[in-house]
């Protein structure tokens, strides 16, 4: 009897501890950041800081997607994380090379 | 494949079997390739984004409210798909069907907006051949739209099969991988609205 109780307790602790709360908070922060980016562009398009600002917001949002919603933060995701970061490394190189090569900004 | 599938789902049903684990890992490898694919398209777009040719400039072309609505739709669909995964972890089949059904509806709404948007742009003279900006724009945004369409068809297929197959260690990896794909589509859109629309509006 006790063994069984222990077993079910163990099973319970193995279950992913998740509720909708964390995701809803992330969602609200995401919407807020998106709104911030849109307002920055709508109300101060002349500012030299607006592009770095919205790109930074984009990077934060991408981090939310990967680490909160795609669970890249959970154990056993080392290999996927290496893959994604390798991709990001190459993409950064592409963007820098293309901009210097072809112009644009 | 075992003929007798337990109704008790293990804690992480998507990774409970070796097949499931491999499916998830293989899908992450695919996503790594997708990062490179979209990254190349982004690099091309950034380099060509002010070569308007005979088409209108991006500042007068883009409409922020339309992009804001599309962004809101896609961000919300990311939330509904993660709620679907949580329902799956609770072994709640009707919850999975409900949340993924909503996700598909949001996807269809997004596609509708995009088609309307492209239609308007072509009317204003912004086409695939109006300039390098036009070519890079339709290739990048169109590729993303095609991914959304692919995701809509994929998840619709899952929803159609799930009531019969039920939730088990065979179907769970399929659902999980589809939700990873959907989040990835949303991730790409975050950069599209930032780099294409917002930066296009700034000039």
């Amino acid at each position: 009897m006790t063994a069984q109780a222990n077993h079910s307790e163990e099973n319970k602790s193995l279950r992913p501890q998740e509720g909708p709360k964390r995701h809803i908070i992330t969602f609200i922060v995401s919407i807020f950041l998106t709104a911030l980016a849109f307002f920055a562009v709508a109300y101060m398009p002349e500012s030299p800081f607006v592009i770095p600002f919205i790109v930074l917001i984009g990077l934060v949002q991408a981090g939310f997607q990967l680490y909160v919603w795609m669970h890249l933060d959970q154990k056993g995701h080392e290999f996927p994380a290496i893959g994604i970061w390798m991709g990001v490394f190459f993409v950064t190189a592409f963007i820098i090379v293309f901009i210097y090569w072809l112009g644009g900004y | 494949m075992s003929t007798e599938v337990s109704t008790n789902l293990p804690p992480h049903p998507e990774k409970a079997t070796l097949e499931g684990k491999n499916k998830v890992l293989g899908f992450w490898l695919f996503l790594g390739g997708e990062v490179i694919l979209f990254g190349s398209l982004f690099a091309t777009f950034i380099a060509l984004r002010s070569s308007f040719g005979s088409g209108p400039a991006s500042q007068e072309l883009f409409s922020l409210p339309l992009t804001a609505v599309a962004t809101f739709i896609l961000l919300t669909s990311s939330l509904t798909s993660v709620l679907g995964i949580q329902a799956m972890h609770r072994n709640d089949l009707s919850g999975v069907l409900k949340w993924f059904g909503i996700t598909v509806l949001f996807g269809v709404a997004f596609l509708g907006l995009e088609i309307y948007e492209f239609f308007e742009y072509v009317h204003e003279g912004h086409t695939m051949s109006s300039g390098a900006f036009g070519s890079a724009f339709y290739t990048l945004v169109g590729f993303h739209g095609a991914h959304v369409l692919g995701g809509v068809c994929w998840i619709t297929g899952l929803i159609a099969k799930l009531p019969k197959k039920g939730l088990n260690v065979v179907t769970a990896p399929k659902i999980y991988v589809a939700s990873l794909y959907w989040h990835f589509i949303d991730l790409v859109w975050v950069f599209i609205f930032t780099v294409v629309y917002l930066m296009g509006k700034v000039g």
Side-chain angles (χ1 to χ4, degrees):
Chain A
M1 196 64 189
T2 33
Q4 204 172 5
N6 274 345
H7 181 72
S8 76
E9 206 150 278
E10 196 177 73
N11 229 358
K12 207 174 173 186
S13 70
L14 273 175
R15 282 220 176 253
Q17 291 295 314
E18 51 177 21
K21 206 175 145 195
R22 183 169 175 235
H23 297 294
I24 287 171
I25 291 171
T26 312
F27 174 70
I28 292 169
V29 175
S30 264
I31 292 292
F32 176 73
L33 287 178
T34 307
L36 213 59
F38 275 97
F39 281 123
V41 171
Y43 292 106
M44 35 183 188
E46 308 297 324
S47 164
F49 299 110
V50 68
I51 286 182
F53 179 68
I54 61 177
V55 170
L56 184 72
I57 285 181
L59 292 175
V60 171
Q61 296 237 54
F64 279 164
Q65 290 284 339
L66 282 170
Y67 282 91
V68 180
W69 286 351
M70 294 165 86
H71 308 294
L72 205 55
D73 57 339
Q74 283 177 10
K75 243 173 60 184
H77 279 78
E78 293 79 11
F79 198 50
I82 291 173
I84 293 294
W85 286 109
M86 282 286 280
V88 170
F89 171 76
F90 278 108
V91 165
T92 314
F94 289 167
I95 292 175
I96 293 168
V97 168
F98 275 45
I99 289 173
Y100 274 98
W101 191 9
L102 291 171
Y105 48 92
Chain B
M1 233 161 259
S2 76
T3 46
E4 180 191 6
V5 179
S6 161
T7 47
N8 285 329
L9 273 191
H12 279 286
E14 69 275 10
K15 288 177 197 161
T17 61
L18 183 62
E19 191 189 333
K21 268 190 199 135
N22 288 342
K23 230 173 228 173
V24 173
L25 180 61
F27 198 77
W28 275 103
L29 292 180
F30 166 72
L31 289 184
E34 292 272 280
V35 169
I36 300 285
L37 169 76
F38 277 104
S40 317
L41 294 175
F42 271 110
T44 312
F45 179 83
I46 293 168
L48 299 173
R49 72 192 193 92
S50 31
S51 314
F52 302 120
S54 61
S58 58
Q59 285 93 328
E60 44 202 84
L61 189 66
F62 294 148
S63 128
L64 283 186
L66 189 76
T67 312
V69 172
T71 305
F72 183 76
I73 287 176
L74 220 52
L75 278 177
T76 313
S77 78
S78 218
L79 176 73
T80 56
S81 78
V82 92
L83 293 176
I85 290 298
Q86 294 194 335
M88 179 186 90
H89 284 156
R90 286 195 308 270
N91 201 1
D92 167 12
L93 178 62
S94 64
V96 173
L97 294 173
K98 178 181 78 185
W99 288 118
F100 276 100
I102 295 174
T103 307
V104 165
L105 289 182
F106 276 126
V108 170
F110 176 86
L111 280 174
L113 268 186
E114 189 150 89
I115 291 167
Y116 164 77
E117 185 194 353
F118 281 10
F119 200 74
E120 287 287 298
Y121 288 166
V122 170
H123 263 281
E124 290 173 43
H126 173 55
T127 66
M128 191 86 181
S129 51
S130 64
F133 164 65
S135 313
F137 172 86
Y138 284 112
T139 312
L140 172 60
V141 184
F143 236 100
H144 175 268
H147 274 73
V148 175
L149 180 64
V152 164
C153 296
W154 182 2
I155 298 176
T156 308
L158 285 180
I159 292 174
K161 285 292 232 177
L162 261 183
K164 209 172 164 191
K165 303 253 175 189
L167 287 176
N168 52 51
V169 291
V170 178
T171 52
K174 297 179 199 282
I175 304 169
Y176 187 79
V177 154
S179 95
L180 280 184
Y181 179 77
W182 197 260
H183 290 311
F184 183 78
I185 290 174
D186 196 9
L187 190 157
V188 172
W189 179 257
V190 165
F191 285 111
I192 290 186
F193 90 72
T194 306
V195 172
V196 176
Y197 293 95
L198 293 184
M199 276 168 66
K201 206 69 187 167
V202 174

